[in-house]
Amino acid sequence: MTRYLVLTLLIFSACAVRQPLPTLIGPQLSGVELAEFEQEIGKRSSEISSYRALNRMIIVHGNEQNSFRQIVLFEKPNKLRLETLPIGASYTLNLLAVQSGRVVYLDAQNKRALVGAESVAALSEILPLPLLASDLAALLSGTVPAAIFS
């Protein structure tokens, strides 16, 4: 079930229209200019304070096709909830919730639960992404995670 959660995140990141990266030409930014640039990106990223979405996803692997619903909720500074549900039922297949420094992951199909303190290591055990919940929420909302600049 963890792979469905990871595939969902990949689908979210692939929804945008792909355009080639621009070729950067020009002088390199000085230390002051770079700091101003980072501050502007941080300011724009902080403008999104909450996000709620219900998505229908179809995962195709070879001849197999699976349909799910994905709930994504986050509220800054420290709430994140990702939940996967089947199309025709109202029970949860898996749930990842992060709030106030605590992580809860429930995988109903595999009867697995993880409860602990929020850390990169704890979230990496659930998702193969070395991120904190705040950085994952930033990526899901289409902004730049703060960890990029540290």
Side-chain angles (χ1 to χ4, degrees):
M1 195 44 48
T2 301
R3 74 175 187 203
Y4 292 125
L5 190 57
V6 172
L7 286 172
T8 300
L9 294 173
L10 291 174
I11 288 170
F12 283 145
S13 67
C15 287
V17 176
R18 301 213 179 233
Q19 296 183 7
L21 293 174
T23 303
L24 301 177
I25 301 173
Q28 185 173 356
L29 296 177
S30 69
V32 173
E33 293 170 325
L34 185 58
E36 289 173 356
F37 178 72
E38 290 174 359
Q39 185 177 18
E40 182 64 26
I41 288 180
K43 184 177 111 189
R44 289 184 185 187
S45 294
S46 67
E47 290 174 357
I48 298 176
S49 61
S50 67
Y51 179 80
R52 294 176 178 93
L54 173 62
N55 304 297
R56 180 172 184 210
M57 61 181 185
I58 300 171
I59 299 172
V60 178
H61 185 306
N63 293 331
E64 187 179 344
Q65 179 174 320
N66 293 301
S67 297
F68 299 97
R69 291 176 295 160
Q70 180 76 45
I71 298 171
V72 179
L73 304 167
F74 84 79
E75 196 172 306
K76 286 185 179 177
N78 59 3
K79 288 184 184 180
L80 173 67
R81 181 182 178 110
L82 302 173
E83 190 167 351
T84 305
L85 306 127
I87 291 292
S90 60
Y91 60 90
T92 298
L93 295 174
N94 64 36
L95 166 71
L96 170 65
V98 181
Q99 182 173 353
S100 302
R102 302 286 298 163
V103 174
V104 175
Y105 175 70
L106 303 172
D107 184 349
Q109 287 189 320
N110 296 321
K111 297 182 181 177
R112 179 178 171 219
L114 173 72
V115 178
E118 179 188 2
S119 67
V120 172
L123 288 173
S124 293
E125 190 173 324
I126 301 163
L127 303 168
L129 301 169
L131 298 171
L132 289 172
S134 57
D135 298 330
L136 181 57
L139 288 174
L140 290 173
S141 66
T143 60
V144 179
I148 296 288
F149 300 115
S150 51

